[in-house]
Amino acid sequence: MTRTQNPSVDGRPAPPRQPDDREAFPSGNATWWRQAAVYQVYPRSFADADGDGLGDLPGVTSRVGYLAELGIDAVWLSPFYPSQLADGGYDVADYRDVDPKLGTLDDFDDMVRALHAHDIRVIVDIVPNHTSDQHAWFRETLDSEPGSPARDRYIFRSGRGEAGAEPPTDWVSTFGGSAWEQVADGQWYLHNFAVEQPDLNWSNPEVRADFVRTLRFWSDRGVDGFRIDVAHMLTKDMTEPLLSRAELDALPLDGQHPLIDRDDVHEVYAEWRAVFNAYDPPRTAVAEAWVDAARVPLYARAESLGQAFNFELLEADFDAEQFRRIVSDNLALAELSGSSSTWVLSNHDVVRHATRYGLPHPPRADSGRPALKHGNEWLLSGGVTPALDRAGGLRRARAATLFLLGLPGSAYLYQGEELGLHEVADIADEHRQDPTFFRSPGIDKGRDGCRVPIPWSSTGTSFGFGEGGAHLPQPAWFASSAVDVEERLPHSTLTLYRRALNLRSELQTDEQLEWMDTGRNEVLRFARPNGWQVVTNFGTEPFELDRADVVLASDDAPLGIVPGETTVWLAPA
Ligand code: NOJ
């Protein structure tokens, strides 16, 4: 059934769709998401059906067979809405349409139908903190007076200094540079991200009502869930006088901070939750909230969004102690919220994990963070470095992934990680697209290196991505990681992911784990109540197992041995 229009009789417009004619997921149940393996599709870089060099929705539909064979439960699509791509689509010009460069609403419906036919749910990205400056609302602000209702949908202020020529505050945008931009009549608008991404005013009831409409629009089209972009920044206290950056930085992040992780954002999500729960099964939501771990449960509660990303594994080194602490802490947090935990190693914002694990541990003293940032020394040197251990990085990535897939909770995977792809570091400056590169300027290489189009075949135009080349240049080494190569190889990363994901439903029958003593700090072993066990050797010395019945190993494992930097799964005895 095409869902772009309601059926109509005798030429009269059909009544609005009623809850009972919604296309409920065929074998749906209300808790499908708790242990789901969710595969993130970055649509512009996945598959290009029309050969214009940009991936598109028919491209996703053409690869549904691949996704089904992979064994995932859901697809999360990064934004596919009309956009000038100032921030890879996270600058949305119309929340209830498809970017004509990527297809049509009919193409969207076809894609959802094809995914659902293979029991794969669909999660779409909602970007509520900011619109694109091409959005009809923002364009209206430019023809409207200061203080007008149109400007009140955004955050406009007068500048400081003579004739207001200075921005209202010294706040800095996440992508670098001032967080304020001046318009022709002298007022300034707030943009916490790129200049083309003006922040919305969430105190404005019209803004709130419009997002509810958007959530219903996609839910009515059969979407199963939502990923909420920068979920912790929507509501802001903009009472004058505005504080300086230093004053803001000195404030605790306790729910009352003027800009970040405010308690009152949950009033918005409570309203959304009521919308989600009106569907059967209820629509799900996962918060992208970079907040203190102790505050994550606020987003993950059933009364709020219901689930939240936990980025701690993605920020960790390949290290047993760090992994164990993170898993224990996050399972405890999940118990607090009543949600399930989420696990992530890669996404479209960070250096691919095969590459992170192939770099020497970064100095933690200054930033406290590993090589997540694309401006780290290795990427600054243009990717030409003896420091990257490609094989070692991939080996550790495979071990970490198999560990992650054995944990209770949802696993979020990023397209291309199933091929063991490394970051593409040596993209020439003239090909770069990411605003972080332009606004840093040039110091942070940006996130393009993990967004290079997927190699489907070892030969052919753009490695099978599409007939018209790829919007970001693909390196020659993609050939050996192409899908058509890896699917023939019993030891490839793709084969490993397929086997693990297809076995995973047997593991995920309960949501607990118990750590087992291994006698070695660098070896973690846990058991699920159903009898499955996972053993990861984070060290380099082989670990002797007390059993020989390994079902799956991240790399070759001799009988009864877990080699260094390897994970094995053991079935119930
Ligand atoms: C988080 C998204 O993951 C990232 O790609 C984007 O640039 C920012 N939010 C702004 O929307």
Side-chain angles (χ1 to χ4, degrees):
M1 179 174 70
T2 303
R3 301 189 56 81
T4 44
Q5 57 196 27
N6 293 339
S8 79
V9 270
D10 57 42
R12 279 177 294 142
R17 191 177 298 283
Q18 295 303 308
D20 54 356
D21 53 87
R22 279 193 311 262
E23 195 172 5
F25 187 77
S27 53
N29 67 60
T31 54
W32 65 266
W33 50 274
R34 291 191 73 91
Q35 309 236 51
V38 183
Y39 180 92
Q40 181 188 357
V41 167
Y42 192 73
R44 286 166 187 82
S45 301
F46 189 63
D48 174 20
D50 66 5
D52 66 353
L54 267 192
D56 44 38
L57 298 187
V60 178
T61 308
S62 73
R63 298 294 180 181
V64 166
Y66 171 80
L67 296 171
E69 203 171 335
L70 191 55
I72 52 161
D73 302 301
V75 156
W76 148 33
L77 289 154
S78 279
F80 48 82
Y81 315 110
S83 170
Q84 64 186 319
L85 305 184
D87 181 21
Y90 284 88
D91 46 320
V92 179
D94 181 350
Y95 291 87
R96 297 186 285 273
D97 205 350
V98 171
D99 191 332
K101 301 187 282 299
L102 270 66
T104 62
L105 280 169
D106 279 335
D107 292 330
F108 180 85
D109 294 331
D110 289 345
M111 179 195 69
V112 171
R113 200 167 30 251
L115 287 163
H116 279 177
H118 284 88
D119 271 13
I120 299 173
R121 268 90 170 178
V122 181
I123 294 172
V124 300
D125 220 310
I126 294 292
V127 189
N129 180 66
H130 42 265
T131 69
S132 160
D133 64 357
Q134 303 299 305
H135 191 285
W137 276 358
F138 192 75
R139 295 167 83 104
E140 200 186 330
T141 66
L142 301 179
D143 301 324
S144 306
E145 301 286 307
S148 59
R151 290 222 174 161
D152 188 58
R153 296 187 192 114
Y154 293 90
I155 301 174
F156 276 86
R157 290 291 182 277
S158 301
R160 289 173 304 169
E162 207 179 314
E166 297 290 316
T169 65
D170 61 349
W171 301 350
V172 171
S173 105
T174 307
F175 293 157
S178 171
W180 297 94
E181 185 73 6
Q182 199 169 24
V183 297
D185 61 26
Q187 272 213 311
W188 298 76
Y189 67 85
L190 180 69
H191 61 89
N192 268 301
F193 292 89
V195 173
E196 299 87 350
Q197 292 169 299
D199 279 42
L200 284 164
N201 171 16
W202 275 86
S203 305
N204 183 319
E206 210 187 330
V207 168
R208 294 195 180 208
D210 197 69
F211 272 87
V212 165
R213 220 178 125 203
T214 295
L215 297 172
R216 289 209 177 103
F217 178 87
W218 294 108
S219 298
D220 286 345
R221 294 193 100 85
V223 156
D224 303 280
F226 299 91
R227 178 259 188 195
I228 311 303
D229 191 63
V230 283
H232 57 301
M233 284 176 64
L234 275 49
T235 54
K236 298 171 179 88
D237 178 359
M238 297 295 290
T239 313
E240 310 267 350
L242 297 173
L243 300 183
S244 69
R245 188 180 171 200
E247 286 167 331
L248 285 178
D249 285 352
L251 292 176
L253 293 169
D254 60 356
Q256 304 304 316
H257 188 280
L259 299 184
I260 302 166
D261 186 25
R262 293 179 55 76
D263 285 340
D264 56 14
V265 77
H266 297 288
E267 292 163 18
V268 174
Y269 299 141
E271 190 184 358
W272 291 12
R273 178 43 58 197
V275 173
F276 299 148
N277 287 354
Y279 289 87
D280 179 22
R283 297 331 190 213
T284 68
V286 57
E288 188 224 14
W290 292 86
V291 298
D292 191 77
R295 292 188 54 87
V296 169
L298 292 173
Y299 295 82
R301 282 171 307 153
E303 303 77 32
S304 187
L305 290 173
Q307 202 181 39
F309 280 121
N310 144 32
F311 293 119
E312 287 194 79
L313 274 190
L314 168 152
E315 294 188 296
D317 297 316
F318 183 76
D319 175 270
E321 198 189 322
Q322 291 181 44
F323 269 52
R324 181 173 171 150
R325 181 200 56 75
I326 289 167
V327 169
S328 299
D329 287 358
N330 282 283
L331 290 178
L333 287 174
E335 235 176 276
L336 271 183
S337 68
S339 184
S340 58
S341 192
T342 58
W343 311 106
V344 191
L345 290 169
S346 278
N347 65 30
H348 66 296
D349 287 333
V350 297
V351 174
R352 285 188 177 277
H353 67 285
T355 301
R356 292 203 311 270
Y357 295 149
L359 294 168
H361 284 198
R364 285 184 160 268
D366 50 350
S367 68
R369 294 180 123 190
L372 271 185
K373 280 286 180 189
H374 298 257
N376 70 67
E377 202 180 303
W378 174 71
L379 292 167
L380 280 176
S381 70
V384 187
T385 171
L388 175 66
D389 170 6
R390 291 185 82 86
L394 179 55
R395 182 180 184 97
R396 294 186 271 278
R398 290 164 57 121
T401 298
L402 205 56
F403 176 87
L404 171 145
L405 289 174
L407 292 170
S410 321
Y412 283 80
L413 311 172
Y414 177 51
Q415 68 179 37
E417 68 167 82
E418 78 278 18
L419 303 173
L421 290 186
H422 272 282
E423 186 84 359
V424 181
D426 50 356
I427 299 174
D429 288 357
E430 68 265 27
H431 293 302
R432 294 218 172 253
Q433 301 174 7
D434 186 2
T436 56
F437 172 69
F438 300 107
R439 287 184 68 85
S440 54
I443 294 167
D444 188 330
K445 289 290 176 192
R447 300 160 295 179
D448 296 317
C450 62
R451 299 173 176 182
V452 174
I454 295 298
W456 294 95
S457 54
S458 56
T459 56
T461 320
S462 63
F463 298 108
F465 168 67
E467 290 300 313
H471 65 99
L472 279 168
Q474 298 159 301
W477 53 262
F478 261 27
S480 56
S481 298
V483 172
D484 69 349
V485 172
E486 291 210 13
E487 65 187 359
R488 290 195 308 265
L489 300 176
H491 299 295
S492 71
T493 305
L494 179 57
T495 303
L496 174 68
Y497 270 67
R498 281 183 176 169
R499 293 191 59 202
L501 286 164
N502 283 288
L503 264 179
R504 193 170 170 271
S505 55
E506 291 181 37
L507 248 101
Q508 306 298 2
T509 55
D510 56 64
E511 289 189 31
Q512 286 84 47
L513 67 67
E514 193 182 322
W515 294 109
M516 297 169 73
D517 188 23
T518 64
R520 295 249 307 261
N521 290 341
E522 71 279 18
V523 181
L524 296 186
R525 181 174 191 168
F526 63 82
R528 305 287 297 264
N530 58 21
W532 281 89
Q533 289 185 23
V534 174
V535 188
T536 301
N537 183 353
F538 288 83
T540 46
E541 293 303 311
F543 174 74
E544 222 168 292
L545 269 179
D546 47 8
R547 12 193 305 203
D549 52 343
V550 164
V551 175
L552 189 59
S554 61
D555 266 289
D556 279 343
L559 219 57
I561 298 286
V562 186
E565 302 181 329
T566 302
T567 295
V568 300
W569 282 6
L570 306 168

